[in-house]
Amino acid sequence: MNAKSFTLFLHSLAAGVFLTAVSFGQTGPVGTIEGRVTNARTGDYVAKARVSAEGTAIETLTDQGGQYRLSNVPAGAVTVRVFFTGSDLQTETVNVAPGATVRHDFNLGSNVVKLSEFVVTTSRQMEGAAIAINEQRFASNMVNVVASDEFGAVLENNVGDFLKFMPGITLTFIGGAAQSISMGGVPPDYVPITVGGFDLSTVSGGGTGRSVDFHTISMNNTGRIEVIHSPTPESPGSALAGSVNMVPRSAFDYARPRFSYDAFFMMRDNDRHMFSKTPGPRWVRTRKVHPGFDFSYLNPVNDHFGFTLTGADTKQYTEEERSANTWIGAGTASNGLTATTAATQFPDTTPDKPYLSSYVVEDGGKHTQRRSLGATIDYKFSPYDRMSFALDWAQYDSPLNQRNVTFSVQRISPGNFSPTFTHGDVGRGQIQTASQSRHHTRLKYMPMLTYRHNGPIWRAETGTALSHEELTFRSIDKGYLNNVTSLRNNVTVNFDDNFYLRPGRISVFDASGAPVDPYNLSTYQLNTGNGTSSRTQDVRRTAYANLARAFDLRGAPFLLKGGFDLRQAIRDTRASTPSYTFTPENAGILLDEVFSERTAPYGFPKIQYTSTQEAYNYYQANPSKRTVNPVTQFTSEVNGSKLAQEVVSSAYLRGDLALLERRLKLVGGLRAEQTNIKAEGPLNDPTLNFQRDAAGHILRAANGTTALLINPSGSLAATQVTNIDRGTHVKKEYLRLFPSLNASYNVRENLIARAAFYTSVGRPDFNQYAGPVTLPDPELPPSSTNRITLRNAAIKAWSAQTGKIRLEYYFEGIGQVSVGAYRREFKNFFGSTQFAATPEFLDLYSIDAATYGRYDVSTQYNVPGKVRMTGAEFDYKQVLRFLPHWARGVQVFANATANRASGDENANFAGYVPRAYNWGASLTREKFNLRFNWNYRGLSRGAPVTGRSIESGTFNYTSKLLFRDIQGECYVWKRFAVFFALRNVGDQTNDTKIYGPDTPEVARFRQRTTYGSLWSFGMKGSF
């Protein structure tokens, strides 16, 4: 069915519903039953409990405050049934008078394993599992839900530590912590993450990408997380394979006030000095064990007003150690035999005989501090009307530091290499030491306002939110340089006894054959340095409204819902990296005495490094010993200045229909999105330095050359004329339609079959619109070096059609198992191309077609091929109630995801994870509990590698990862416990490889980064 036919169908369906709604309804005397469902053990309100009138098709789900309403109930004695996962089914008889409204409340008993009152938190974790399973069971589409209490303590309040255990989700890591997520094989740039349905701002590492990272997202004010695998018409069209929604806490979720807190110490297993300071990560000694805390206070003051307040402050030290190999013929191309004066010579080789050309050892680290505050205010005007205001604030602060030594052979003669050794030409190699320091900060705030009306017939919701985040990288104003590099040239570098991780022996000699100590800073000469100053702002504004009406079509419930939303994204970035060239001097004058006391990683001895702070102070006092290229500095500032604004205006229509006594449920509709983009980026136009007459004609000198406004053309003044800050202006708009359909069928009461179909898009990186434009010299003919170079603003977004099925079985008590499969077809992938310019294309950038129409354009295009992604998912979770009494209290979970891509190789995307598995178990006893969780992601193939001496079929790979987490609690008394939480037990390293079919094992390894295991010990309580 095409989009036009689908729209006509929905309009006809809506008209039919409204015409028949009046004539179809309950006959005979009826009444209404309403009330509230609470948890008998905790007193909290129960959301999404199923309340039904026995013998009828009348049923409903309780709202977030536990409220329910059954309308058009036959008068007389009515048996009301209430069901919630993990609780015993409750039935009670209610007498309903004709035309009357009867109030009847329910207190659900729990069949969660009943232990001592000591295990308040542990019982809450089991009830968290029950809430998550219940949400999934009664959802109208395919979702996985995790409650904030389900997986225990969350180090740093990082939401990634929850999501990594969800089926269909794989994580990317940076600095030893979860950074962003991939879903269904789709990269992080195409996985929307929202809070309460509102877009989250994301600075994406300071670039122009769209991925949402977790640096400033805190779990502390989150009640549950929804992973949406099959969108409904309310979902954004950019949910290429699904999306994630974080639901804020609400005071009305609870019946009485609650205060919870954690206080703890955090440390890494590779530096556990509790009471002393050790060198690093900068030029001073610091403590590596830090205190932290978090708290939450929820207060339903009365039936009309409530509020919540949450906060957290954590600080941790992370050690970052890296070992990196560069192999000619396995990842890096050879260049054959070159002239003796050439700086490098890498002879050609065969795939089975690559050789090591350089090696890097790096030692570094950082302190990371996260602070967050959250608050919500809820007010009920009536039982059906509620307004909520929420505010989230977060700060991230991390001084980053790395130091490394690079051994480069530079020139190699034939016969002086094999996979196990490389002997460089005498006096032609180089060793280099570098120190990097920069200060990484982020600040985010997000106010949200919503209004909801949840009446028996009409339902309405409206909301608006602003999410603002700013990221900065700074060095100069902090009193240090971003980078200091020192060199020692004209040395001989030899690698011997190579194994997968590093050369077993590294030898360095001067040109005369005398040994050189590469770990002594006085061996080196100061060479270059730079500073950094960058700021990236991301602003997201969201506004939405929807209206829904419930109908009864001869006993078949039908809900018709229509709405709109407006989503604006603004990405504004400016960056400057001033570069310096230093007067050659002994690098030892800038020795970092403190950091150089550390023992280097991977079996190396102590290494001396320069201090970026000493370098800043030295060159401030001796400015004549450094030179700055003003042209390079100016162009770096222009090229780092970009602005993009995107507005997505959406409208949708949704219909929910229940048939066959509510066993078959259909949810379908159509969403339309109009996207408008404005962007500004760097412009490099050499004609701006041409002299012109009054008519605009280019003037020429007597010798026929172009007369310039400023000579020479490469001077700073000329560069300032031809390189224009945000001189490129781009506008684009397009309309897309997104039909979707979700169907579920209760094969049995506890067996549900689901199917879904939907369409989605993956919008390009903002750099596609705000990227630089370089124009050719119109005085020269078209050539490969004289053409228009830019990003293609006319490129179409990725698009996908997805079909998905899932079978879900729910155990008695708390537990479920499900299996599913999907097929997703992608098209409009991006590739590189050159083509003849057209007036229509040049008009996107306001480029004069009369001047530049004869030049080719080097840019991107939509690859015509398709990629098909297929996958399967398995999910199991259960509280093992069937065990003997002495073994009660065991909860287990396991899930697995398999993805496979096929289709046009040119259109294929790299980096998806083919296999991911998660499993874990917890044991609950009267005064203690233990949790063991495992997270596995398989080998992932990245981009292909091509070049001289590199065989076909060579790719980048990210090695498999297995993370182990352990948590435990011991209750000292009823509401006070001590706990520990260990993340990445065993210190799983992050490894990458590059290899082809015939690459020997020793040469496959590219890089290893080690971060250590994060440990936390503390106390917790609630009252």
Side-chain angles (χ1 to χ4, degrees), residues 547-850:
L547 182 65
R549 192 184 193 282
F551 301 96
D552 185 357
L553 305 182
R554 295 191 182 276
F558 180 78
L559 182 74
L560 187 63
K561 181 178 183 179
F564 72 89
D565 62 59
L566 185 68
R567 300 174 186 265
Q568 181 191 51
I570 301 175
R571 182 70 59 84
D572 187 346
T573 181
R574 289 188 179 274
S576 174
T577 307
S579 300
Y580 313 114
T581 300
F582 302 140
T583 300
E585 291 184 88
N586 189 314
I589 63 175
L590 302 181
L591 174 65
D592 186 336
E593 295 182 356
V594 173
F595 191 86
S596 298
E597 294 176 9
R598 291 167 57 93
T599 300
Y602 303 111
F604 285 87
K606 291 182 178 180
I607 301 175
Q608 294 183 344
Y609 294 103
T610 54
S611 164
T612 55
Q613 184 188 53
E614 289 293 329
Y616 174 82
N617 294 334
Y618 181 76
Y619 291 112
Q620 284 291 103
N622 301 276
S624 62
K625 294 189 175 184
R626 69 173 182 186
T627 59
V628 180
N629 186 326
V631 173
T632 302
Q633 182 169 343
F634 176 77
T635 55
S636 78
E637 292 173 357
V638 171
N639 291 330
S641 178
K642 300 173 183 179
L643 174 67
Q645 175 179 300
E646 179 181 78
V647 178
V648 181
S649 309
S650 309
Y652 62 87
L653 187 65
R654 166 178 169 165
D656 294 45
L657 179 63
L659 301 170
L660 304 177
E661 297 182 340
R662 295 182 181 263
R663 294 179 67 183
L664 175 62
K665 297 177 182 178
L666 303 173
V667 178
L670 181 68
R671 180 181 182 89
E673 290 188 353
Q674 170 70 25
T675 303
N676 292 79
I677 300 164
K678 295 181 180 179
E680 299 175 0
L683 174 65
N684 180 5
D685 185 355
T687 66
L688 297 178
N689 194 32
F690 291 178
Q691 292 187 28
R692 299 176 185 269
D693 60 20
H697 300 120
I698 297 174
L699 300 180
R700 300 185 181 278
N703 60 2
T705 60
T706 303
L708 301 179
L709 294 171
I710 301 173
N711 270 305
S713 59
S715 66
L716 175 61
T719 303
Q720 289 173 332
V721 170
T722 58
N723 288 261
I724 307 302
D725 184 287
R726 299 186 179 181
T728 298
H729 300 272
V730 173
K731 291 184 179 180
K732 183 181 179 179
E733 61 177 277
Y734 57 93
L735 174 68
R736 290 289 180 90
L737 301 179
F738 303 95
S740 64
L741 178 65
N742 283 271
S744 63
Y745 180 72
N746 281 64
V747 182
R748 290 163 44 187
E749 175 65 23
N750 58 351
L751 182 62
I752 303 174
R754 298 182 186 270
F757 169 81
Y758 63 92
T759 60
S760 53
V761 296
R763 293 188 171 89
D765 187 304
F766 287 117
N767 199 50
Q768 202 67 42
Y769 311 109
V773 172
T774 300
L775 298 178
D777 186 341
E779 295 300 294
L780 299 176
S783 70
S784 61
T785 58
N786 193 50
R787 58 189 177 195
I788 302 169
T789 303
L790 46 74
R791 309 286 290 187
N792 186 357
I795 205 166
K796 296 179 181 178
W798 288 10
S799 61
Q801 291 187 339
T802 302
K804 190 162 188 172
I805 57 174
R806 189 158 79 180
L807 189 65
E808 304 169 354
Y809 178 82
Y810 295 89
F811 300 106
E812 182 181 353
I814 303 175
Q816 67 87 31
V817 60
S818 65
V819 292
Y822 75 90
R823 188 176 78 174
R824 184 175 297 115
E825 288 194 348
F826 298 93
K827 63 179 182 179
N828 294 330
F829 278 86
F830 308 149
S832 298
T833 188
Q834 290 83 40
F835 60 85
T838 65
E840 295 78 14
F841 183 83
L842 296 180
D843 188 55
L844 286 170
Y845 304 87
S846 302
I847 297 175
D848 182 21

Side-chain angles (χ1 to χ4, degrees), residues 414-427:
N416 282 345
F417 62 82
S418 80
T420 60
F421 76 92
T422 304
H423 293 166
D425 288 358
V426 175

Side-chain angles (χ1 to χ4, degrees), residues 17-18 20-22 24-25 59-60 69 71-72 453-460 547-553 556-562 654-657 662:
V17 168
F18 279 107
T20 57
V22 177
F24 294 158
E59 72 174 43
T60 189
R69 182 183 179 96
S71 302
N72 296 324
H453 171 80
N454 191 20
I457 298 178
W458 289 97
R459 302 174 190 175
L547 182 65
R549 192 184 193 282
F551 301 96
D552 185 357
L553 305 182
F558 180 78
L559 182 74
L560 187 63
K561 181 178 183 179
R654 166 178 169 165
D656 294 45
L657 179 63
R662 295 182 181 263

Side-chain angles (χ1 to χ4, degrees), residues 421-448:
F421 76 92
T422 304
H423 293 166
D425 288 358
V426 175
R428 303 302 297 270
Q430 180 190 84
I431 53 176
Q432 171 186 293
T433 178
S435 298
Q436 299 98 28
S437 303
R438 59 178 178 168
H439 200 96
H440 175 190
T441 62
R442 298 177 185 232
L443 180 66
K444 174 184 282 184
Y445 58 86
M446 186 175 184
M448 297 165 278

Side-chain angles (χ1 to χ4, degrees), residues 283-535:
W283 41 83
V284 296
R285 297 175 181 273
T286 60
R287 299 190 187 278
K288 308 303 190 296
V289 180
H290 299 287
F293 71 87
D294 63 68
F295 72 90
S296 65
Y297 179 58
L298 306 100
N299 189 349
V301 178
N302 53 45
D303 287 342
H304 296 282
F305 176 73
F307 68 92
T308 72
L309 182 65
T310 62
D313 188 343
T314 66
K315 186 176 183 179
Q316 64 153 304
Y317 167 71
T318 304
E319 197 166 275
E320 299 184 15
E321 302 169 346
R322 184 169 67 97
S323 175
N325 301 313
T326 300
W327 291 89
I328 301 297
T332 302
S334 62
N335 63 354
L337 301 181
T338 63
T340 56
T341 56
T344 63
Q345 175 175 283
F346 300 121
D348 295 334
T349 187
T350 55
D352 62 332
K353 195 179 179 182
Y355 54 94
L356 192 64
S357 63
S358 70
Y359 173 77
V360 180
V361 58
E362 182 171 282
D363 189 8
K366 61 183 179 181
H367 282 111
T368 301
Q369 186 159 23
R370 301 170 187 257
R371 297 185 176 99
S372 64
L373 286 173
T376 60
I377 298 174
D378 297 297
Y379 186 78
K380 284 187 177 180
F381 300 95
S382 74
Y384 308 124
D385 298 273
R386 183 171 83 176
M387 181 171 286
S388 298
F389 173 78
L391 177 64
D392 285 342
W393 175 92
Q395 183 184 52
Y396 177 91
D397 186 88
S398 180
L400 305 172
N401 308 270
Q402 289 87 30
R403 297 153 177 92
N404 60 62
V405 176
T406 304
F407 302 87
S408 300
V409 175
Q410 300 280 65
R411 286 187 64 91
I412 307 167
S413 296
N416 282 345
F417 62 82
S418 80
T420 60
F421 76 92
T422 304
H423 293 166
D425 288 358
V426 175
R428 303 302 297 270
Q430 180 190 84
I431 53 176
Q432 171 186 293
T433 178
S435 298
Q436 299 98 28
S437 303
R438 59 178 178 168
H439 200 96
H440 175 190
T441 62
R442 298 177 185 232
L443 180 66
K444 174 184 282 184
Y445 58 86
M446 186 175 184
M448 297 165 278
L449 180 66
T450 57
Y451 165 78
R452 294 181 178 88
H453 171 80
N454 191 20
I457 298 178
W458 289 97
R459 302 174 190 175
E461 185 174 359
T462 184
T464 185
L466 167 69
S467 185
H468 181 284
E469 184 171 7
E470 179 173 290
L471 173 147
T472 61
F473 288 111
R474 299 151 62 193
S475 68
I476 297 296
D477 64 325
K478 289 291 186 177
Y480 48 84
L481 296 185
N482 177 61
N483 176 275
V484 176
T485 300
S486 303
L487 298 177
R488 173 69 181 267
N489 291 313
N490 304 320
V491 295
T492 305
V493 177
N494 294 334
F495 301 134
D496 290 284
D497 302 330
N498 299 338
F499 65 106
Y500 81 98
L501 182 62
R502 50 158 288 190
R505 288 186 295 117
I506 302 176
S507 306
V508 182
F509 306 93
D510 65 16
S512 67
V516 173
D517 183 359
Y519 313 115
N520 187 323
L521 192 58
S522 296
T523 299
Y524 298 85
Q525 295 281 304
L526 293 168
N527 184 250
T528 60
N530 62 46
T532 187
S533 177
S534 68
R535 174 193 56 80

Side-chain angles (χ1 to χ4, degrees), residues 158-160 163 172-174 177-181 188-189 191-193 200-207 209-218 246 370 396 440 442 444 469 471 473 538 540 571:
N158 191 327
V159 65
L163 288 171
T172 57
F173 294 86
I174 184 170
Q179 180 193 27
S180 56
I181 64 169
D189 276 0
V191 182
I193 299 180
L200 264 173
S201 57
T202 173
V203 289
S204 189
R210 293 179 179 268
S211 65
V212 179
D213 54 36
F214 302 139
H215 289 85
T216 53
I217 303 178
S218 174
M246 302 173 62
R370 301 170 187 257
Y396 177 91
H440 175 190
R442 298 177 185 232
K444 174 184 282 184
E469 184 171 7
L471 173 147
F473 288 111
D538 190 80
R540 303 295 173 108
R571 182 70 59 84

